[in-house]
Amino acid sequence: QVQLVESGGGLVQAGGSLRLSCAASGGTFRINAMGWYRQAPGKQRELVAAIGSGGTTNYADSVKGRFTISRDNAKNTVYLQMNGLKPEDTAVYYCNAEGRLYTGPLFDSWGQGTQVTVSS
């Protein structure tokens, strides 16, 4: 199976920055799209940012101009640079990757999540 491991979360003050990383590993596979989702207490999981294999990106309106998603295909890694953090950004952030295994089946994998807490 394809495993995703996130890192880089933490506690910061409003206006601060964090850089999240997510690395995919396990077996032989080809990743198509990767993205970051978040889930705050009592709220549904939502898309934060996504990036396709060709580099096309999309962002939630709430993070446009503050967050930047990027990927290193050679390392099967996706990053999320978060600047100008706000208390409403507080959530568990999850990495997602979808693609195809060498054996043929499509996959859609999720990381374990990393906590981001922004104090007011």
Side-chain angles (χ1 to χ4, degrees):
Q1 70 276 7
V2 177
Q3 297 178 325
L4 306 180
V5 179
E6 302 110 327
S7 62
L11 194 159
V12 297
Q13 291 185 310
S17 298
L18 286 173
R19 181 176 174 85
L20 306 183
S21 299
C22 172
S25 63
T28 302
F29 54 87
R30 179 176 292 106
I31 295 175
N32 181 21
M34 302 187 79
W36 289 95
Y37 293 73
R38 67 187 181 188
Q39 186 166 27
K43 301 183 67 176
Q44 294 181 291
R45 185 174 299 188
E46 64 174 346
L47 174 69
V48 177
I51 184 167
S53 60
T56 301
T57 60
N58 65 85
Y59 298 89
D61 288 340
S62 60
V63 307
K64 287 181 179 177
R66 299 188 297 120
F67 292 8
T68 302
I69 189 171
S70 61
R71 64 190 289 179
D72 185 335
N73 292 331
K75 296 181 178 180
N76 287 322
T77 300
V78 64
Y79 306 92
L80 185 68
Q81 179 66 47
M82 305 185 293
N83 298 324
L85 285 163
K86 304 175 180 179
E88 51 263 46
D89 295 319
T90 295
V92 177
Y93 284 69
Y94 297 91
C95 177
N96 170 258
E98 66 89 11
R100 186 179 295 275
L101 303 177
Y102 177 77
T103 53
L106 297 174
F107 70 86
D108 189 340
S109 297
W110 293 86
Q112 79 287 352
T114 184
Q115 177 70 46
V116 172
T117 302
V118 184
S119 62
S120 60

